[in-house]
Amino acid sequence: MKRFPEYQQNAKVRRSRDTTALSRLALLLFCGLVLAGGFVFAAKQHFAAVQYGYQNETLRSERRRLIEENQRLALEKERATAPDKLEPAARRLGLRPATAGQIGNKPAIHTDKR
């Protein structure tokens, strides 16, 4: 005994497509993608801002360190060029103080003609 006939008369009946439901689904998918893209873009901007903040703090600390080093070097330069330090160094190099005759006279210019 067979429960279902081999040939059914309504087998060729097809359901009509609902184009409005398909277009609503496509619109909803597009809006969802735009919204998700917006969230991804906002997160990317946030992480970039945080990274720039860290770089800014690093550069500020480096700038502070360089200013301190510049001040230390300027102080060291002032100490090295003090007159009481220059005179002994000049004597070690073989330099002598200028005499009264050397100060008033202009040095002679020698031209070497060959």
Side-chain angles (χ1 to χ4, degrees):
M1 167 172 193
K2 294 185 178 182
R3 291 174 95 171
F4 298 109
E6 289 185 27
Y7 177 73
Q8 294 182 357
Q9 292 187 6
N10 61 356
K12 293 182 182 180
V13 174
R14 293 190 171 206
R15 186 176 69 164
S16 63
R17 292 189 178 200
D18 189 7
T19 57
T20 59
L22 187 60
S23 63
R24 280 192 310 255
L25 181 64
L27 180 64
L28 184 64
L29 180 64
F30 177 73
C31 290
L33 286 175
V34 168
L35 186 65
F39 281 126
V40 168
F41 180 73
K44 191 176 182 181
Q45 292 292 325
H46 172 72
F47 291 133
V50 169
Q51 183 178 5
Y52 285 137
Y54 284 134
Q55 287 177 352
N56 189 13
E57 188 59 35
T58 302
L59 290 174
R60 282 181 195 226
S61 64
E62 183 179 355
R63 181 178 183 267
R64 197 175 315 120
R65 182 187 61 79
L66 289 173
I67 287 173
E68 290 172 2
E69 183 178 355
N70 190 15
Q71 290 173 348
R72 182 186 60 80
L73 290 173
L75 181 62
E76 188 177 322
K77 177 186 163 196
E78 289 296 322
R79 286 182 185 155
T81 58
D84 61 332
K85 301 278 185 181
L86 285 178
E87 188 175 346
R91 290 192 190 279
R92 279 192 303 255
L93 291 174
L95 300 176
R96 296 181 312 233
T99 61
Q102 292 175 332
I103 293 175
N105 297 336
K106 291 184 179 179
I109 299 175
H110 297 286
T111 57
D112 194 18
K113 294 183 180 178
R114 294 180 188 184

